[in-house]
Amino acid sequence: MDEDSLIGMLKTIMGSDFASSSSLTDTIEGYNSAAYSAVVAANSVVVKPLASAIIAIICTLELARTATSAEGDRQLGVRIVAATMFKMVLLIIAAQHVDLILGAIREIAQTLTSGFAAQFSLGDVSDASKSVDWDAIRENLKNAPMLDKVQLFAFLTIPWLVASFAGIALKIVVFLTFTEIYVLTAFATLGIAFLGHPETKQITITYLKRYAGLALKFSVLAAVVFLYATVISSRVGLSPGSLPTPDSSLAAWAQEHLKDLVIGPIVFIILIFSSTKIARALTGEG
């Protein structure tokens, strides 16, 4: 039984590659530059003309509404119409520079994500993992009888499968989140176009909330990895003090902590799939 394979299983269980392999800290431009360029082009060529027509209709309706409400008072009417026209100008400017608005939202989320990521080493997120003398454990495995290695492999198989699934689940959630952001970015101008009328502005508010929720989801996932690395691991028996020493039986250690080795990744998976609900709560979506 290969010692490096067994150590690799242990590292996977302790989440050594959860953050580094999932692109948590990537920007929307850096995750897939081709996709970002495509959605920006689609927004400019396909969506902006339609959004311009909608803005023109909304401006007309808003001017008609405000002009009607000010009938009988010429001075007040002029002020209201002037204020409405100024609001329409701001709407047009916002639609033209919607990329800056969305970029500001992403920058806030990126700052939070980077802040959490700075609390642990992205290449080795688990405090337990990076505190272990893996060379000593490798030497232990070299000197261990084959039966001990087989037993260790048997005990680690289920926890390793669960942890591997957790890593895959994190990658899938990150991929789907980026995909949703790309789709919303493609319709960015249309999302802003409805802001100019009281009866349609809720569409824009909902759009921006949804976009902010997706951007903050990366921050929540980074916080989840941080939580798993700094709290869950030690609570379920993966702290450095509970790991096997070079002169102890690794199989006996794995048998003693089997329940803990399974619980950690399961809790991590639950937190991953709860990230959407947490991010929505942060933006008031419930």
Side-chain angles (χ1 to χ4, degrees):
M1 189 69 64
D2 184 19
E3 294 83 8
D4 290 334
S5 298
L6 293 173
I7 290 178
M9 293 176 73
L10 279 170
K11 287 185 176 182
T12 299
I13 293 169
M14 287 189 283
S16 294
D17 299 321
F18 281 162
S20 60
S21 62
S22 60
S23 304
L24 263 182
T25 58
D26 284 357
T27 62
I28 184 175
E29 299 90 345
Y31 183 76
N32 192 318
S33 58
Y36 179 72
S37 299
V39 298
V40 170
N43 179 62
S44 300
V45 176
V46 180
V47 179
K48 273 189 177 180
L50 176 60
S52 300
I54 292 175
I55 290 175
I57 295 172
I58 288 179
C59 289
T60 303
L61 293 174
E62 185 66 6
L63 283 171
R65 184 183 68 85
T66 54
T68 302
S69 65
E71 286 183 353
D73 190 334
R74 180 177 299 179
Q75 187 176 8
L76 178 61
V78 171
R79 291 178 180 176
I80 293 178
V81 171
T84 301
M85 294 181 67
F86 180 71
K87 183 172 69 174
M88 294 303 103
V89 170
L90 292 179
L91 175 60
I92 294 171
I93 293 175
Q96 290 177 337
H97 300 283
V98 64
D99 55 327
L100 297 179
I101 298 173
L102 300 184
I105 294 174
R106 295 196 302 267
E107 185 63 29
I108 293 171
Q110 182 69 21
T111 300
L112 290 173
T113 304
S114 300
F116 281 112
Q119 301 303 312
F120 50 81
S121 172
L122 286 178
D124 203 7
V125 301
S126 173
D127 283 350
S129 177
K130 67 184 181 183
S131 300
V132 175
D133 187 352
W134 292 110
D135 292 333
I137 293 179
R138 183 178 287 103
E139 189 66 26
N140 183 317
L141 286 170
K142 287 182 179 179
N143 299 328
M146 180 57 65
L147 179 61
D148 199 39
K149 294 180 182 179
V150 171
Q151 288 178 332
L152 177 63
F153 176 80
F155 289 134
L156 293 181
T157 298
I158 293 179
W160 175 76
L161 289 174
V162 177
S164 298
F165 176 77
I168 294 171
L170 180 60
K171 291 181 181 180
I172 292 174
V173 170
V174 170
F175 173 77
L176 292 176
T177 304
F178 270 115
T179 302
E180 288 186 72
I181 289 180
Y182 287 135
V183 173
L184 288 181
T185 302
F187 292 91
T189 309
L190 188 62
I192 297 295
F194 295 99
L195 186 61
H197 196 276
E199 294 183 9
T200 60
K201 67 179 182 180
Q202 189 59 40
I203 297 175
T204 300
I205 294 173
T206 302
Y207 171 83
L208 292 176
K209 279 186 175 181
R210 180 60 179 158
Y211 198 94
L214 289 171
L216 285 172
K217 191 171 179 179
F218 296 112
S219 304
V220 173
L221 288 171
V224 166
V225 176
F226 175 72
L227 177 68
Y228 178 81
T230 59
V231 179
I232 300 298
S233 296
S234 60
R235 292 291 296 177
V236 298
L238 295 179
S239 59
S242 66
L243 288 165
T245 57
D247 57 347
S248 63
S249 171
L250 290 168
W253 172 87
Q255 182 178 14
E256 179 184 355
H257 293 86
L258 180 61
K259 180 176 67 175
D260 300 329
L261 292 170
V262 175
I263 288 176
I266 290 177
V267 171
F268 184 67
I269 292 172
I270 294 172
L271 290 174
I272 288 174
F273 289 110
S274 299
S275 60
T276 299
K277 186 182 297 183
I278 298 172
R280 287 183 176 180
L282 292 174
T283 58
E285 286 192 278

